[in-house]
Amino acid sequence: MDLMKVAEEAFKTETELPEFSAGDTVSVHYKIKEGNKERVQVFRGTVIQIKGHGVNKRFTVRKISNNVGIERIFPMNSPFIDKIDVNRKGKVRRKRIYYLRELTGKKARIKEKRV
């Protein structure tokens, strides 16, 4: 009986993530441990894909830093994710927008979805 309560508490402590999909611009607040210190780093970029189901669900975020494309894969249920902010909703027709990798400048822009 106590084991069930512990499991329920573990699920309650997980942060509720907002709904987002491919093409959305998000800011991922990620906890980083350096020695005995802990800080929060913000990774802001466009969601390229969401893959997996259940526990294995993960999403890829791409940003351009110093004219170099950087992609980072985050697990959805990671305890290191502090919070996720959806900055803008993008209007795309696909779930996996890999074509964004070859585009630069104005061509790489994604139209905003009207709400």
Side-chain angles (χ1 to χ4, degrees), residues 17-21 24 26 50 57 86 89:
L17 301 179
E19 285 290 319
F20 60 90
S21 60
D24 295 351
V26 295
I50 298 176
K57 200 165 186 183
V86 179
K89 290 279 196 184

Side-chain angles (χ1 to χ4, degrees), residues 29-108:
H29 298 261
Y30 203 72
K31 293 178 197 166
I32 296 174
K33 275 195 170 184
E34 293 173 335
N36 56 357
K37 293 181 188 174
E38 188 176 286
R39 64 184 178 91
V40 176
Q41 187 180 46
V42 181
F43 192 89
R44 184 171 193 256
T46 305
V47 177
I48 284 190
Q49 68 173 347
I50 298 176
K51 242 182 180 175
H53 294 286
V55 181
N56 295 327
K57 200 165 186 183
R58 57 212 175 275
F59 61 100
T60 306
V61 180
R62 179 181 173 84
K63 77 172 183 176
I64 305 294
S65 179
N66 296 330
N67 292 329
V68 177
I70 298 169
E71 290 184 11
R72 190 153 179 202
I73 301 168
F74 296 99
M76 282 280 198
N77 58 348
S78 172
F80 296 109
I81 292 179
D82 194 29
K83 67 175 180 174
I84 297 176
D85 296 330
V86 179
N87 301 105
R88 55 186 291 220
K89 290 279 196 184
K91 183 183 176 189
V92 290
R93 293 183 174 189
R94 300 181 187 186
K95 290 289 181 188
R96 308 229 160 94
I97 50 176
Y98 299 134
Y99 61 85
L100 210 63
R101 292 172 177 162
E102 279 77 49
L103 303 178
T104 56
K106 284 189 175 180
K107 294 176 194 165

